[in-house]
Amino acid sequence: MLKANHHAEPLGRREQNKIDTRHAIADAAFELARSVGPGAFTVDQIVERAGVSRRTFFNYFPSAEDALTVRMDLFIDLALGVFEQLPANEPLFGAIIRAFTETTRMEGLSQHGELFRMAGADPDLLRAQLHSWERAEARIGEALRARLGTAASELYLTALVGCVMSSTRAALRDWAVHTPPSASDSGKQLEARILAALTMLRDGFADPGALIAPDPPDIPARS
Amino acid sequence: MLKANHHAEPLGRREQNKIDTRHAIADAAFELARSVGPGAFTVDQIVERAGVSRRTFFNYFPSAEDALTVRMDLFIDLALGVFEQLPANEPLFGAIIRAFTETTRMEGLSQHGELFRMAGADPDLLRAQLHSWERAEARIGEALRARLGTAASELYLTALVGCVMSSTRAALRDWAVHTPPSASDSGKQLEARILAALTMLRDGFADPGALIAPDPPDIPARS
DNA sequence: GCAATTTTTGCACTCCGTGCAACGAAGCGT
DNA sequence: ACGCTTCGTTGCACGGAGTGCAAAAATTGC
């Protein structure tokens, strides 16, 4: 269910077992959340499915909800990998947007959307996700620092990253409200919204009326 | 410690008692967090200080950390009150920035900064605060909707609000890192950073090198 | 195969969060 | 002031969350 790592480094049994356990727990939690709803299951149910002891669960995650944020962490892993490969002379916002679209091409967004919707029904899951976004922000900030060098101020950098993440989240909200879970082009709808939001940000929120076009807007180069 | 409400509406005993209890709990929690550190105290300690029963605490807050977000909620109350009074023809970003500065003139920022710092040491408090920001975002979004009318798309509006909040948070982070808790002009430092961040946002992150000037930057009009 | 290291597990314990029912205080009509 | 109603508070009890600790099991290096 969860993606394995792609760098074929020689992993020892120890490392590999830990990764497997982690994913087993995450998968069990996700399936449970799907079937009975977020916040409607206990840690004991998770560990039964995952085949580990209760105590082991808490060696990996501080709470049941945290097991549901593994997917986002992995998504960020991938996206950062893509981002670092992009040519350094590419415009900043363009690189960010491309890193995102390339990653969605690998991973898809449906499960992320699903989890986002769940968070609307369970405050604890929402908090875990917000925390996850926060961690992602920090990691992306480092990647941007590596690209921009010391010319960009700390404030500029963190504000920029924060806005990118905020815009993405706004797109998720809009998508969750306006696209029914059953929609066939659900993923495309979401991607289009994220692109629209990032484009607005890049252009300084100049056009309040910017709406979602039926097909993904093309992005005229800038910044 | 916490501000009383300013509209002198005729409140009944019931309403007033609830407000008092709420504030008593919030104050007790804050004092405790200050003295022993965030996450280092129990609900029982809070209720002992506040003079209410354990059960009553949970009638007001779902967790100990949530009692520490009351201040931010009240700050947003004030800020929204200010924002609604501003002339409707004032440029959007200008109005947002003014609503913020006016509110800080009433309330100050030191306690907010203090709480923000605490969140760095306690994941649960961090999550509660992130949730609080989320609620604030929703409320501010409504206020902006009332001002902008139906011309602005839902996505534009939520993305904009999200970016405003993100930029503010970035300013808080920068402040927490670079300004020692003992600094005498701590509040001014923070305010200057928030203004700088909001200005960058307004200008579309055009200048990566934007740094904090020793004295608060003045804001040339736009948008 | 053996010793060292790391991970898993069971156990015990405190604290959290909530449903429930009894109690007490505020509102309200007379 | 009286009773009646409504709403908030409290105590109790219970299941679940999260953690320190030490024993057991698995992996590693020799």
Side-chain angles (χ1 to χ4, degrees):
Chain A
M1 200 88 198
L2 288 173
K3 292 216 123 186
N5 75 327
H6 284 292
H7 11 253
E9 294 187 13
L11 283 186
R13 268 263 97 70
R14 285 232 167 89
E15 308 288 334
Q16 190 55 54
N17 282 346
K18 283 215 286 187
I19 293 175
D20 290 347
T21 304
R22 188 176 187 78
H23 285 189
I25 295 174
D27 283 343
F30 185 57
E31 306 276 345
L32 262 173
R34 256 193 166 150
S35 56
V36 303
F41 53 92
T42 70
V43 170
D44 295 83
Q45 290 176 271
I46 299 178
V47 301
E48 191 192 2
R49 285 208 181 203
V52 295
S53 76
R54 187 181 126 80
R55 192 60 184 81
T56 296
F57 175 90
F58 286 109
N59 284 343
Y60 283 86
F61 303 100
S63 79
E65 292 74 29
D66 284 286
L68 295 173
T69 68
V70 173
R71 283 184 161 67
M72 156 138 281
D73 295 340
L74 293 180
F75 186 91
I76 299 296
D77 280 341
L78 282 176
L80 288 182
V82 172
F83 183 75
E84 282 165 11
Q85 313 256 321
L86 294 180
N89 60 349
E90 190 163 349
L92 183 56
F93 271 97
I96 292 173
I97 291 176
R98 263 191 58 194
F100 165 73
T101 55
E102 294 291 329
T103 309
T104 62
R105 231 165 288 291
M106 299 191 251
E107 270 250 329
L109 289 174
S110 64
Q111 295 191 344
H112 298 279
E114 203 172 337
L115 283 165
F116 185 85
R117 273 212 176 85
M118 287 186 195
D122 178 36
D124 283 331
L125 177 56
L126 173 58
R127 290 187 179 199
Q129 280 186 14
L130 291 173
H131 196 174
S132 175
W133 284 81
E134 181 84 358
R135 290 193 303 269
E137 236 179 272
R139 297 175 60 193
I140 295 174
E142 290 172 24
L144 244 61
R145 167 61 71 202
R147 168 173 277 248
L148 293 181
T150 52
S153 74
E154 192 71 21
L155 181 55
Y156 174 88
L157 203 143
T158 54
L160 172 58
V161 176
C163 287
V164 167
M165 301 302 273
S166 263
S167 299
T168 306
R169 277 184 353 96
L172 264 165
R173 274 197 292 269
D174 197 54
W175 167 87
V177 171
H178 292 115
T179 305
S182 55
S184 61
D185 60 343
S186 183
K188 275 290 167 202
Q189 287 275 336
L190 177 50
E191 191 176 339
R193 280 188 165 77
I194 294 178
L195 287 179
L198 291 178
T199 306
M200 289 192 304
L201 170 60
R202 192 194 62 187
D203 297 343
F205 291 95
D207 176 18
L211 286 162
I212 299 300
D215 22 22
D218 48 358
I219 304 111
R222 218 206 67 178
S223 170
Chain B
M1 199 91 198
L2 287 174
K3 291 218 125 185
N5 76 326
H6 283 293
H7 12 255
E9 292 187 15
L11 284 186
R13 272 261 97 72
R14 288 239 166 86
E15 307 288 335
Q16 190 57 53
N17 283 346
K18 284 215 285 187
I19 294 176
D20 290 347
T21 305
R22 188 177 186 78
H23 285 188
I25 294 174
D27 284 344
F30 184 57
E31 307 274 345
L32 262 173
R34 255 191 166 152
S35 56
V36 304
F41 53 92
T42 71
V43 171
D44 295 83
Q45 291 176 270
I46 298 177
V47 301
E48 191 192 2
R49 284 208 182 204
V52 296
S53 76
R54 189 180 121 83
R55 191 61 184 81
T56 296
F57 175 90
F58 287 108
N59 284 343
Y60 283 87
F61 303 101
S63 80
E65 292 74 30
D66 284 286
L68 295 173
T69 67
V70 174
R71 283 183 162 69
M72 155 139 280
D73 296 339
L74 293 180
F75 186 91
I76 299 296
D77 281 340
L78 282 176
L80 288 181
V82 171
F83 183 75
E84 283 164 12
Q85 311 257 321
L86 294 180
N89 60 349
E90 191 164 348
L92 183 57
F93 271 97
I96 292 174
I97 291 176
R98 263 191 58 195
F100 165 74
T101 54
E102 296 289 330
T103 309
T104 61
R105 231 166 288 290
M106 301 191 250
E107 270 250 329
L109 290 174
S110 64
Q111 295 191 342
H112 298 279
E114 203 172 337
L115 283 165
F116 184 85
R117 274 211 177 87
M118 287 186 196
D122 178 36
D124 283 330
L125 177 55
L126 174 57
R127 290 188 178 197
Q129 279 186 15
L130 291 173
H131 196 175
S132 175
W133 286 80
E134 181 84 358
R135 291 193 302 270
E137 236 180 272
R139 296 177 58 194
I140 295 174
E142 290 172 24
L144 244 62
R145 167 61 71 204
R147 169 174 276 249
L148 293 181
T150 52
S153 74
E154 192 72 22
L155 181 55
Y156 174 87
L157 203 143
T158 53
L160 172 58
V161 176
C163 288
V164 168
M165 301 301 272
S166 264
S167 299
T168 306
R169 276 183 356 92
L172 264 165
R173 274 197 293 270
D174 197 54
W175 168 87
V177 171
H178 292 113
T179 305
S182 55
S184 61
D185 60 343
S186 183
K188 275 291 167 202
Q189 288 275 335
L190 177 50
E191 192 177 338
R193 278 186 167 78
I194 295 178
L195 288 179
L198 292 178
T199 306
M200 288 192 304
L201 170 60
R202 191 194 62 187
D203 297 343
F205 290 95
D207 175 18
L211 287 162
I212 299 301
D215 22 22
D218 47 358
I219 307 110
R222 218 206 67 180
S223 172

